[in-house]
Amino acid sequence: MAKIKYIEFDGREHEIEVKNGLSVMEGAVRHNVPGIDADCGGACACATCHVYVDEGFLDVTGRPSAMEESMLDFAENVQPNSRLSCQIRVSDDLDGLIVRLPENQH
């Protein structure tokens, strides 16, 4: 299990323990974190679970796949640390992960 901190655009924080094997998106949805819409349910077919990964965790979360990069083209305000949270699998290595949510997902 990993503790993940989700920070909404307005600064509100949600620190949640997420089971290994789930995605960062699933952790947010299961705990009703506002700002992660997850319209496609985690199929990497939209960009409504866009997050900004804390710089200290970029190596641990890995690089986006070609499909994920293609979906990020539909997100607003994409940054070098942008990821789709449905594509980040939780493991013990992600304990302490911080993700920031964009102002909106559409």
Side-chain angles (χ1 to χ4, degrees), residues 7 13 16 36 39 46-47 49 54 57 59 67 70-71 74-75 80 88 98 100 105:
I7 302 175
E13 297 182 3
I16 298 167
I36 296 206
D39 289 347
C46 72
C49 67
D54 184 78
F57 281 89
D59 289 338
M67 179 185 281
S70 145
M71 287 296 106
F74 296 101
I88 304 171
I98 299 169
R100 289 176 174 74
Q105 294 286 1

Side-chain angles (χ1 to χ4, degrees), residues 5-12 14 24 28 33-37 48-53 85 98-105:
K5 186 181 291 187
Y6 301 83
I7 302 175
E8 293 182 59
F9 185 77
D10 66 5
R12 282 185 284 181
H14 307 267
V24 171
V33 174
I36 296 206
D37 297 339
T48 62
C49 67
H50 176 215
V51 295
Y52 303 109
V53 174
S85 58
I98 299 169
V99 294
R100 289 176 174 74
L101 285 65
E103 185 171 10
N104 63 59
Q105 294 286 1

